[in-house]
Amino acid sequence: MAYQVTSLSRLAEQFARLPNVGRKTAQRYAFYVLSQPPEFARAFAEALLDSSGSIKRCSVCQNLSDEPVCSICQNQARDRSIICVVADPRDVIAFERLREYNGLYHVLHGLISPMEGVGPEQLTVKELLSRLTGEVKEVVMATNPTVEGEATAMYLSRLIKPMGLKVSRLAYGLPAGGNLEYADDITLCRALEGRNEM
Ligand SMILES: [Zn+2]
């Protein structure tokens, strides 16, 4: 019995380390896992171990990927003339869910934030600029409508426009100060369709 209690609290402690998981929820998860057949925990553990070992960044768009080049960048059916610039891999998932956008992405892995000491050199700006040759005609700034999101879009626009490319920004319809990841699909679709040139 003592063994079971120890493993239960150890498991709950691990769940409690996840974002937005409080003690009670962590305990509920732990109880649930222990109530399942052993295969459940094994599959769960394997997925966890696999993910931390094998997920890398796509060498082109910098999105998370199992392969050196992700499936979106590899897909020849995608429109290579347009790149949608996002802050976070979760934003790619939000756009892909729409099934409306057929271009490529670039993941910055953050936003410029002088308050938090994040400058362009900590983001994948250099990698973005190195992609803007030949086929690319338009770059869509799809960063959140927050102070950091706007500042980052402005900064990149100033670098990219002189290269003779069209730079656009998601239309406002997105709640100001909001998070793109949580926008509903219709709002996100409209924001993309109604994008304005910067
Ligand atoms: Zn990629």
Side-chain angles (χ1 to χ4, degrees):
M1 209 58 205
Y3 168 72
Q4 202 184 11
V5 173
T6 309
S7 60
L8 184 72
S9 60
R10 267 186 63 204
L11 187 55
E13 259 167 44
Q14 295 309 311
F15 279 126
R17 295 170 70 176
L18 297 170
N20 301 318
V21 176
R23 282 233 150 271
K24 275 195 173 157
T25 307
Q27 216 159 52
R28 209 170 64 231
Y29 287 166
F31 266 114
Y32 181 80
V33 171
L34 294 182
S35 73
Q36 297 300 302
E39 301 81 67
F40 180 93
R42 197 169 301 126
F44 204 96
E46 273 170 14
L48 272 178
L49 289 172
D50 273 3
S51 70
S52 73
S54 70
I55 291 199
K56 318 175 222 347
R57 285 186 187 183
C58 166
S59 62
V60 181
C61 71
Q62 309 298 319
N63 194 9
L64 300 179
S65 171
D66 293 318
E67 310 284 331
V69 177
C70 77
S71 58
I72 295 175
C73 289
Q74 278 190 48
N75 185 347
Q76 291 303 317
R78 308 232 18 160
D79 182 354
R80 281 161 197 282
S81 72
I82 177 164
I83 294 179
C84 182
V85 178
V86 297
D88 193 282
R90 285 169 293 185
D91 300 329
V92 173
I93 296 171
F95 278 109
E96 284 300 287
R97 204 175 53 213
L98 305 177
R99 298 175 180 279
E100 282 286 322
Y101 176 72
N102 191 42
L104 301 178
Y105 296 94
H106 191 85
V107 182
L108 293 170
H109 292 280
L111 292 168
I112 295 172
S113 171
M115 296 281 285
E116 288 173 37
V118 182
E121 59 290 337
Q122 273 120 295
L123 309 176
T124 63
V125 173
K126 234 193 310 165
E127 289 84 350
L128 172 63
L129 297 179
S130 73
R131 295 177 66 188
L132 306 181
T133 49
E135 292 176 297
V136 184
K137 303 270 181 295
E138 180 180 355
V139 182
V140 185
M141 296 298 156
T143 49
N144 288 336
T146 56
V147 175
E148 289 84 9
E150 295 300 341
T152 307
M154 282 304 294
Y155 173 84
L156 291 175
S157 169
R158 275 192 214 120
L159 286 179
I160 297 167
K161 266 170 99 171
M163 300 167 85
L165 297 172
K166 181 178 172 186
V167 181
S168 55
R169 178 90 178 103
L170 288 189
Y172 294 90
L174 281 174
N179 202 323
L180 205 145
E181 186 198 339
Y182 302 119
D184 66 85
D185 290 1
I186 295 169
T187 306
L188 199 52
C189 249
R190 284 202 190 124
L192 184 63
E193 278 165 9
R195 63 184 183 272
N196 305 303
E197 192 156 354
M198 281 184 84

